[in-house]
Structures are given as structure tokens and as C-alpha cells.
Amino acid sequence: MYKTILSVTVPLLLCSCLFGQDYKIGYKNDDGYTTISQTTLIPARSYQSATTITRYGLMNEAKTIVLPMLYNSVYTSREAGIYIVLDTMNKVGLYSVPQSRFIVNPEYYGIDAYREGLAIVKKEKQPYGFLWGAVDKTGNIVIPLEYEFLGDSYDGLMNFKKDEGYGFIDQKNTVIIPALYSNISNFGNGLAPVLVKTENKYGYIDRNNKLIVPAKYEAAENFYQGYAAVQRKKAVTVKGKLIDDAETALINASGKELTDFNYHSISYRMEGGLFKVSKKEKFGFIDSTGKLVLPVEYKEANLEWGGNIILRSADNKYGMMNVRSGIVLKPEYGYISSLTADHFYYSKDGKATVLDQNKKIIVAPDSAERVLLGKNSIVYFNPDKVKIFDKNGKLIKTFNHENISSYNSSFTSNEDSLRINYDVSVLLLNLTNNTRKIIPATEAGDFNEEGIFIAKKIQYNFFDYTGKKLNSKGFYSAVNFTDGICAIQTEADANPYLADKNFNKIKDLTTAFYGPYSEGIAMSLDKDKSLVVYLDTKGEKVFSITGTEGGKCTDGRVWIKTSYYNYYFFADKTGKQIGSKTWAAMGEFNSGLAAVQENNKWGFISNLGNLAIPVQYDQVSSFYNGTAVVKMNGKFMLINKEGDPIDDKRYEAAGNPSNGYFPLLKDKLVGLVDGKGKTVIDFKYQNILGINEDRSWAMKDGKWGLLDSKGAELTGFIYKEAGDFNNGYARVNINGKYGLVNKAGKLIAPAEYSTLGTVYKNSVIALSPAGTQSFGLK
């Protein structure tokens, strides 16, 4: 719907910001160097929107930049002082910080981290494909780029692919095992799995290329600590869905099968010679002889410290079993954590208990949504409170805030401080007793005419102005009450319906309800959004009309936006078009007239649809008490309902009229004029708002101050933004945050909110912004 807006403000200057040496600190690597980054704004252009780019570099422990922030990415190579760098052309090289230079120029498609002194490099091959080789720690190529594939070095050998076959070379590029195999993997415990071409099965060879374990498996893992998992049947998936699972067994280095092929997966050897096994998405453990240690019947089973296995039962209860001594904690807990810094915790009945690795209680049971364990601190998180204990369980600090985001809060990398994040909070402020109530939501609408609002966290709920929840069950979607009727939907696949004040169903909806009800009818759209349907308070169709949008009913009229070039017309309450014309844009009726646009010019029609004032103006406002402001021949003037000028005064610009008052610009200064052309507030400001509740706002030096209806200045010019008064209060903005002032200009609600609604019976809905607060822990 078109809304007329006439601007008084000066043109905006488009500019881009110049960034200094500000940067973000990233991860500190083991060699002492820290990744840093800098983000720069790229201003919008005619063919693209504004965007940002981030570039990375390195900083040493003295906080000196040792690699400028010019690169798409910077990663450690696992060799001290050498970093894998991706430049802005997406080419990769190796940079030596001690030498302050690239030891491998950025010309490769990819470079792997070093292993056993060598880094695999990958270069594009023309016309397509890639070639692999390797460089040493000085950046010299020691394995020429002549291979179709080259794997990392393990035990001095690297698997390669050449001429469609796989084999092994040493670090001097000498072929140790020829490319005889269809597939191959790395050596472990002196054995490597190979796919033998003649059998098309996997077996294991030694470094002399002798087949130690016969080629009889469909798949074979690398040996690790003397054991490997093999499969006689692979898992079968179709379009990503598992149809048939694998059949896996455990073998030792002599090839002996230690288990039957009755497991779907078997892990590498873990602490105490244990292996995690699975079957039909259930987990258990076996030992190195293949003997079952923990039955394969748990949803989750993880080996922790000292032979303890944390398990989750079929009914989602956590417990702990020790391999040597049996059950330590029965499966009756909501959660049991891993060991961190010699501590772990379990939760039960909404309370968490922290214990040391000997299961001695450090922090007694206390309510917690999450527990964070650090080297020297223990943190209990709740939605509105954070408790910080030392490592011995002594309470050090308590932090209170609404909507704390526990899962986004964390220690800094060196644990010298705690970073606490909190989400947007919905608050209900009582301006009479200066209290505020937390609404369990992260978003909310404003009050309707009866002081009811809708708020949402996961589902939508209705609340009154005291914060009382009105519905017993949340809704999937909802539209607020008008005329005592709301629209709700209980579930995503349920039919939406109209409901009364007790949420009892009035009628199922077959159209998308928008509302609001006004003069007994409300707007909705069909599923194709090509038919506007108006419903009565019983949910019955009053009329339907082809279009894509409709307005609320005012004085028996609704506006309709057509699907034909998005033109507009008015219709009565039976759906009959008022007048024969459609318009490119239009405003609401006021004083019996509505603004309409045709061929980029504006005029006014009567409530019968007849042209009352010719289409001849460049800009117009709505009528207020029989007066409107219009622009013609580059000047603004006030006109009456006959289209005649109120007087001979002409103005340079005009702002949005309000309550019958007109902000106007004369001699580069703004004042306020009433509907008869009389100056109410002198022309001495940069901008001004109309008078509401005997108060106005004016701007000096880019800031707003409060005036009374005669122009007396009641406050200094201190606000970034200001709004009209509503029920005795007005919204103001200080440093990007909103507060409320009363008619005396006193700040009643502090400017600390991201959004403030309208005031209803001295209550207002406020959104407290998301943020982060850090606490030092030393």
C-alpha cells in the first residue's frame, strides 16, 4: 500500500569507511603465532549490493604483525613457523615466518600439512586433472609433480598412483613397491591394505610386497596397534538411504579373525585394548581377544578416562561403567560429561553435580542448564544467571542477565576470562512502579487496542499487558486479536482457524488470514495470492475480488491492489469498485478525500470515486481537518478540499503532517504551521515533528529536543531520534538504544533497548538487545 512521505531532511552523503589497523584475533598456534583477520566494507555499486571481505595474516607473541592481512586464509603446516597461505587468486603457497618470505610461491591448487618432513603439493594439469608431488621443509621439490595421486608419508613410505595402478615410493622417490594394485592405503604396523587386481579383493602386504593376509575381503582398514577391521560385505545405500549394513570383523597382524562378521563397524584400538563396535545403531565394546565387554545395546557408548565408559540407554538415561569394576553410575542421569581438567559432571532432575576424576563431589547439586569446565574455573549456566566457581568448588562470582545463551558462551583461549553471550530478551516494562517482567520469548509484536500482544520463542503465545499468558498451549502461527477475534494454527500440518477470546474455534480458514477486523470485515488471500477475500466475524466470505492485497475497512471503503501492473482502486463493503478508474498509487481516505497517482502526478478523489482535485501535483500528503500540503512547480503549499491554496505562502520542502500540523521548510529552516497557515512554531530548526499530546520534537545540530505546543524548549537537543507522544510517553534514541520520556522530558525508561513498543496502561513491550560481556578470571 502506498504511503505518502515528504522529506524535510538534507540529502545523505554516500561514503565508505577507511579502516585502520583494527583486527580480530583468532587461534593461537603451538609455535606461538596467532592468526589475525581484518574485515573491510565494499560499498554498494549500481550492479551489486554492499558486501564485506575478510583477509588473514599472522601476529607474533609481541603482537607484531609478521604476515600482513592480505590473504584469503592462513593455516598451520604442522611445522613451526611455516604456514599454508591461500592468496586472493585462490593459489596456495608456504610462508616461512622466520625467513619473512614464501619458501613455496602461491602457485598450487592445494598443499597438505607436513608429515614426516614432507608436504604434499597438488597442481592443476592441462587440459584437466591434477599432478601430485612433495616439498621438504626448505620448500624444495623432492618428489616431482608426476603422480596421479600421492599420499602422506607413513613410516617413510608414500602411496602413489601412476598409469592407473597404485604402489609405494620412499622419500627419495625410489619405487619400493611397483604400481601393481587397484587401490592401496598407508602402512601401519608394517602392513598395508591393497586391492589385488586378480581377486578384486583386499589383503595385506608387508614392506617386501609379500601378501601376509590373503586377499579375501571387500574392504580393509589400516592396521593400528596390531589390529584392523575388515569387511566381507560392504554397506549398501540407495539415494543416501541405508539398505543393507556392512559385515565387519576384527583381525590381528597375523590375519587371524578374532570375531565373527556380526558387527557393522569396529573402531581402532582404544585405551586398555578396547574396541567400540556397533550393530543396528546400537553400541558396545569388545576387548583385543574379541570378547564382549559391554553388550551392544546402547544408543551411545564412549570410552573415557581410566577405563570408564559413559553410556546412554534405550530410554535416554546416562550411566557409567568401568571396564574393570563394573557399573559405577546406574543409567538414571539426564547427562554425564566427559572428563575435562580432571573434572566431570552429571545432571539429574534439573540439577548438576561436579566431581573430580576420583568421583569426589566438588560442586554440590545446583540448578544448571549447562556446565562449563575449565582448568581453573567451573561455570554453571542458567537462562538468567551464571555462577562462577574456582576449581575447588568455591563460588567466586554471580552474573545476572535475561536470556543468557549458555551454548554460545565460553572461556577465552587462555582461560583468563569468560565470555558470556545473551540473546534478545522480551521484557514488559511497568512505568508506574519501575519494574520489568521477562517474557519467555525472543520476539514479540506490539499491543493491540485491548493490551494483548503475541510473543514467540519456539511457538507463539498470547499475553496481556500485565504479562499474564492467556493461552494454555502454544501455537505454530498466530494473528493478534481485533474485534475479539484472532487467527491461530496449532501445528504445521493442522488447519488454521479463527478463534474467540477463549481460543475456541469459530471457523476453519481456507484462505491465508491477514486482518485486521475493521467495521466487521477482515482481509485474507487465497493460496495463490491472486484473490482477495474479505471475511465477516463468523469466518464467512463477505466478498472476493481479483487482486494481490487489500486494506482495512474505513468509512465503508477498502483499497485493493490489482494484479494488473499493481494498480489500485477502492471497493465498498460488498466488493463493488468505487469509480471506474484504477490508479498507480493511492493513500487512505481522510476528510472524505484520498490521494491518487497517475502518470507520476497526484490528485484527490472523493469517497464516491470521482476526481475531486485534478491530478497535477508532484507530491501530496493526506488531508488533515480539511487541509493538505502539496508540491507544484518546485514549491510546497497548503490547499483546502477544493484544491485552492490556503494562502500565498510557498515553502521549499515539507515533512509528514501529524494531527493537523505541517512541518515546512522556509529559508533553509523548518517550522510548524497549522491547517489555516498560521505559524505555530517558528522557522528556526533543522527538522520538526507535528504536535501530539501538546508536545513536538525539533532538531538542532543533528539532535532532537522536546518542545511544548507553543514552541518552548523543554529539554536540550540531545537525542539521535525521537517519536510522537502516545499515552503520555515518547520514544527516544541515545547512541542507538531506545528509551522513553514523559511529557516533562524526563527519561522514565533508560535508553538501553533495541526496540520499544507503544504504551498501554503504563506498560510497554521492550526488546533488550543481544550482546556479550566478559569477566576476568584471574
Side-chain angles (χ1 to χ4, degrees), residues 329-364:
L329 297 171
K330 293 180 180 180
E332 58 186 20
Y333 297 91
Y335 183 72
I336 298 178
S337 77
S338 298
L339 186 73
T340 302
D342 297 329
H343 292 81
F344 76 103
Y345 73 92
Y346 56 69
S347 60
K348 189 177 182 180
D349 301 328
K351 293 189 175 183
T353 304
V354 176
L355 307 92
D356 65 17
Q357 60 183 326
N358 298 316
K359 302 173 188 67
K360 175 187 174 183
I361 292 178
I362 302 300
V363 179

Side-chain angles (χ1 to χ4, degrees), residues 743-760:
K743 293 175 72 171
K746 181 181 178 181
L747 197 63
I748 301 300
E752 60 184 37
Y753 304 103
S754 56
T755 302
L756 282 170
T758 56
V759 176
Y760 182 89

